[in-house]
Amino acid sequence: MNVRFSAHEIRDLLIAWIALGIAFTLFLQPELVQSLIQPGGGASPGTFIRALGISLLTAGVGFLLHELAHKVMAIRFGQIAEFRADYGMLFLAIVSALAGFLFAAPGAVYHRGMATKRENGLIALAGPVTNVALGAVFFPIWLLAPENTFVNLVGHLGVQINFLLAGFNMLPWGPLDGKKVQSWSTIVFVGTFVPLLLLAVYALLFMPFPRF
């Protein structure tokens, strides 16, 4: 399997990664918004850098590896696939974070070629499954690192964001992955949607968003 990245795609991936990191930083650290509006107030530059690092390593990585999983699976099935950032949605993510809520849709992997319903379903499923795997990787980091340290916060947010992404993207609605999986196989959809939804509920209700 030959996975290649064009210069355009690499640029889009980097821009999406940075924009998502900034959006999540502003959303999770409201004091930074105050600093932007009123210089000298709110959080310090050091706090911003720390929060941005955490967001890039967790939310940014979770979103982008989700999309790259779609790309790798599509190429495995003989598709031509490439990520394209949605600059309008990235701008909206930052603006919404400044307003106190977050709507993030950084872009998508577009693929073309002959594909069966099963192959399209597996391409869609690759994203949420990757997020669950990432959440599992971050879980021991969260549990074992000393509380409120940089590493602990990376682990905490890494688990939370990836479990939420997995559950949300498995909803059987519109352009989300769950709709494509359901169109392929109801049995596979139910077997994955239920546990991923439970993980998302756990992350939302029993893991308060960390403060940096």
Side-chain angles (χ1 to χ4, degrees), residues 25 29 31-32 35 41-55 150 153 212:
T25 299
Q29 195 73 34
E31 292 84 356
L32 294 174
S35 296
S44 66
T47 301
F48 175 80
I49 293 172
R50 183 170 187 256
L52 180 61
I54 293 170
S55 296
F150 181 88
L153 291 170
F212 304 154

Side-chain angles (χ1 to χ4, degrees), residues 7-165:
H8 188 171
E9 186 175 23
I10 292 171
R11 183 194 67 190
D12 275 16
L13 286 167
L14 287 172
I15 291 173
W17 181 52
I18 293 169
L20 283 171
I22 292 171
F24 271 87
T25 299
L26 295 173
F27 173 69
L28 295 173
Q29 195 73 34
E31 292 84 356
L32 294 174
V33 178
Q34 181 183 350
S35 296
L36 292 172
I37 298 172
Q38 182 182 358
S44 66
T47 301
F48 175 80
I49 293 172
R50 183 170 187 256
L52 180 61
I54 293 170
S55 296
L56 288 172
L57 290 172
T58 55
V61 168
F63 269 90
L64 295 187
L65 288 187
H66 174 106
E67 294 300 333
L68 290 180
H70 291 318
K71 176 185 172 80
V72 171
M73 188 62 74
I75 291 173
R76 178 182 175 186
F77 290 130
Q79 304 280 293
I80 298 172
E82 192 155 322
F83 176 81
R84 284 291 178 265
D86 187 325
Y87 293 104
M89 295 305 293
L90 288 171
F91 176 76
L92 178 60
I94 294 174
V95 171
S96 66
L98 287 169
F101 67 98
L102 186 61
F103 184 82
V109 167
Y110 296 94
H111 57 91
R112 65 182 186 275
M114 298 295 293
T116 65
K117 275 193 172 183
R118 174 181 175 274
E119 289 170 346
N120 278 325
L122 289 172
I123 291 169
L125 191 60
V129 168
T130 296
N131 288 128
V132 173
L134 283 171
V137 170
F138 281 114
F139 205 88
I141 297 174
W142 173 42
L143 292 182
L144 298 175
E147 191 172 353
N148 292 325
T149 61
F150 181 88
V151 175
N152 175 263
L153 291 170
V154 166
H156 183 149
L157 193 61
V159 172
Q160 190 172 30
I161 291 296
N162 279 288
F163 284 176
L164 286 171
L165 280 175

Side-chain angles (χ1 to χ4, degrees), residues 160 163-168 193-208:
Q160 190 172 30
F163 284 176
L164 286 171
L165 280 175
F168 174 76
F193 175 65
V194 173
L196 267 58
L197 180 63
L198 291 175
L199 287 176
V201 170
Y202 166 76
L204 185 63
L205 299 182
F206 299 100
M207 293 183 65

